[in-house]
Amino acid sequence: MKLLSLTFLGLMILMNQAYSKNALPKSQLPHGIIKQDGRQAPALKLTSLDGDAYNLEDSKGKWVFVHFWATWCGPCRKEIPTIQAVVNKFKDTNLDIVIINTAESEDTVFNFLGLLAPDITPLMDEDGLTTELWQPRGLPATYFVDPGGKLRYLALGGRPWNKAEYLEFLNQFK
Amino acid sequence: MKQLTRLLKFTLLCLIAINVYAAKQEQLIYTDDDVYLRFVQLTPSQIGSFYEGREFNKKAVELLMASCYVTVIIDNKSDDFLWIDIARWDFIQNGKKIIQQDRKYWAKKWDEINLKQAHRSTFSWTLMPAERNLYPDEGVGGRIPIPMQTQPFSVVLNFPTGENKQGKMKSVTIDNVVCKQDEK
């Protein structure tokens, strides 16, 4: 009887550990980053503020940080300097950082970024239709697209990308 | 001369303090263990300036200024999903419902004045999402347009909870909400 009780107890502990292991991935991600279901990323074909064409297909084989923002949005204004702080760290790595302005004029974006984030050259979603195609939960929004073009992670709202927790997360894609 | 400078400085500080106090008074805040809510009201001129600054045309700005916008900022402080579903939010004045000016209402208005797509998109992103969940610790903010009101009203916010809205309904009532007017 004692042996049976001990075996039962052991089994309960093992089951509990297995359950905890399943719950672990959530806690391993930085605060506010959630897993996505791996569906195909929507199309993304835009021209940058400098006039260069970009297609998400060009980044196949690399991870892509896809970020939507607008100058009028408070959390975007807070977040963009933290992207500016990391953008050069990931140049020529396996992580492409793609910043998309939603439906604003070149002058507005140029003046804004000149002050806060001069190293960022955003893609211009002039009519806002690309943003709508991606259906972000709100602005700002950041998606992580895997090398196969699938949506893997989503950042909820603005995140301090230059903080250790987030840098560590970004570094895994390098 | 020194005393005059001091007096001027003191007056300036008092004015700043009064302004800060007034600004605080204009915000309605509700908080409990599950949710943080903040209502921010803008005057027609402030709304007009916001959209004019985004290069909206005169006709659009005039239309926008004729409405009242209840701007709500929400943080989900609970450990569960909290659902935004603004069709379940009631704006009530003297027992009568004030009808929200939803996205369909504005799409019709924009069609009438042929507003360009970029501005329709910007306007849409400044509105409170019609329906979506909020993860624990997630926040959202946005405007809910209603017809301009001269009297205070109440806003009853009903939030379904749980991943599939299967949880208990969370309800919060905010009284004495006003459509803030420009000073004459």
Side-chain angles (χ1 to χ4, degrees):
Chain A
M1 188 64 188
K2 219 177 185 180
L3 185 70
L4 198 68
S5 301
L6 278 172
T7 316
F8 180 71
L9 190 70
L11 269 172
M12 288 296 283
I13 291 169
L14 277 175
M15 274 171 70
N16 190 33
Q17 277 178 347
Y19 176 79
S20 304
K21 261 189 180 172
N22 281 338
L24 261 181
K26 196 180 170 191
S27 61
Q28 283 169 347
L29 293 171
H31 189 68
I33 306 283
I34 56 169
K35 277 198 169 179
Q36 295 290 278
D37 56 11
R39 69 182 188 277
Q40 198 64 35
L44 175 48
K45 225 174 156 182
L46 292 168
T47 303
S48 80
L49 193 60
D50 286 350
D52 299 324
Y54 173 80
N55 186 343
L56 185 63
E57 293 280 316
D58 302 341
S59 291
K60 266 243 162 97
K62 293 169 108 181
W63 279 87
V64 194
F65 173 107
V66 179
H67 180 78
F68 293 91
W69 71 288
T71 63
W72 52 263
C73 129
C76 303
R77 285 202 295 267
K78 206 173 152 193
E79 184 183 30
I80 209 96
T82 78
I83 299 176
Q84 156 76 24
V86 300
V87 80
N88 288 331
K89 285 192 172 100
F90 293 92
K91 243 183 195 164
D92 305 319
T93 68
N94 202 39
L95 176 69
D96 281 345
I97 296 183
V98 174
I99 315 290
I100 299 140
N101 175 269
T102 299
E104 292 185 287
S105 71
E106 288 186 358
D107 284 350
T108 304
V109 174
F110 183 80
N111 291 333
F112 178 87
L113 289 179
L115 286 171
L116 277 178
D119 295 337
I120 289 176
T121 308
L123 298 175
M124 303 297 291
D125 180 15
E126 282 175 0
D127 52 15
L129 292 176
T130 299
T131 309
E132 275 175 34
L133 190 66
W134 280 65
Q135 293 187 313
R137 296 166 67 78
L139 296 179
T142 307
Y143 293 93
F144 287 84
V145 180
D146 76 10
K150 295 196 161 47
L151 296 171
R152 290 296 171 195
Y153 300 102
L154 167 69
L156 301 173
R159 298 286 136 199
W161 297 105
N162 55 345
K163 293 275 182 282
E165 185 189 10
Y166 294 95
L167 273 175
E168 198 182 324
F169 176 71
L170 294 177
N171 278 331
Q172 70 178 311
F173 306 119
K174 251 180 164 179
Chain B
M1 187 62 192
K2 242 183 187 176
Q3 268 187 336
L4 186 68
T5 316
R6 272 185 195 158
L7 187 68
L8 277 172
K9 274 184 185 170
F10 177 73
T11 314
L12 190 68
L13 279 174
C14 285
L15 283 172
I16 291 169
I18 289 166
N19 250 338
V20 169
Y21 178 75
K24 276 187 180 164
Q25 288 292 299
E26 283 157 15
Q27 295 189 355
L28 292 169
I29 292 175
Y30 171 90
T31 188
D32 63 22
D33 290 344
D34 300 324
V35 70
Y36 167 87
L37 291 171
R38 184 155 57 97
F39 279 52
V40 184
Q41 298 301 95
L42 299 177
T43 68
S45 291
Q46 287 169 324
I47 284 289
S49 302
F50 178 90
Y51 291 106
E52 212 174 334
R54 267 85 222 166
E55 298 160 28
F56 280 52
N57 64 37
K58 203 179 162 205
K59 272 186 187 169
V61 171
E62 278 170 7
L63 273 174
L64 288 159
M65 285 174 71
S67 288
C68 170
Y69 302 83
V70 179
T71 304
V72 188
I73 290 145
I74 306 167
D75 283 323
N76 178 10
K77 292 166 67 187
S78 76
D79 297 328
D80 201 354
F81 283 97
L82 191 76
W83 285 81
I84 308 293
D85 183 355
I86 60 169
R88 297 181 197 231
W89 293 6
D90 294 326
F91 294 71
I92 297 165
Q93 192 179 58
N94 301 324
K96 278 188 181 169
K97 266 193 188 181
I98 300 168
I99 306 296
Q100 294 179 33
Q101 294 172 333
D102 62 10
R103 286 165 198 267
K104 269 189 194 165
Y105 169 94
W106 286 103
K108 206 176 153 206
K109 292 279 175 204
W110 300 148
D111 285 345
E112 282 166 17
I113 62 162
N114 204 18
L115 187 73
K116 71 177 192 179
Q117 175 54 40
H119 291 159
R120 290 176 190 233
S121 180
T122 296
F123 176 72
S124 172
W125 287 110
T126 60
L127 297 181
M128 177 63 78
E131 187 182 0
R132 63 164 264 207
N133 60 9
L134 278 182
Y135 282 80
D137 274 341
E138 190 181 6
V140 69
R143 295 180 180 141
I144 301 165
I146 57 168
M148 187 59 80
Q149 304 296 316
T150 51
Q151 298 296 314
F153 51 93
S154 298
V155 184
V156 182
L157 304 100
N158 296 306
F159 301 100
T161 61
E163 192 162 6
N164 302 304
K165 299 188 178 179
Q166 78 281 15
K168 206 177 160 191
M169 184 74 80
K170 165 95 188 158
S171 288
V172 178
T173 301
I174 308 286
D175 293 318
N176 288 318
V177 184
V178 293
C179 294
K180 201 178 154 196
Q181 299 301 323
D182 292 305
E183 277 174 29
K184 283 173 187 166

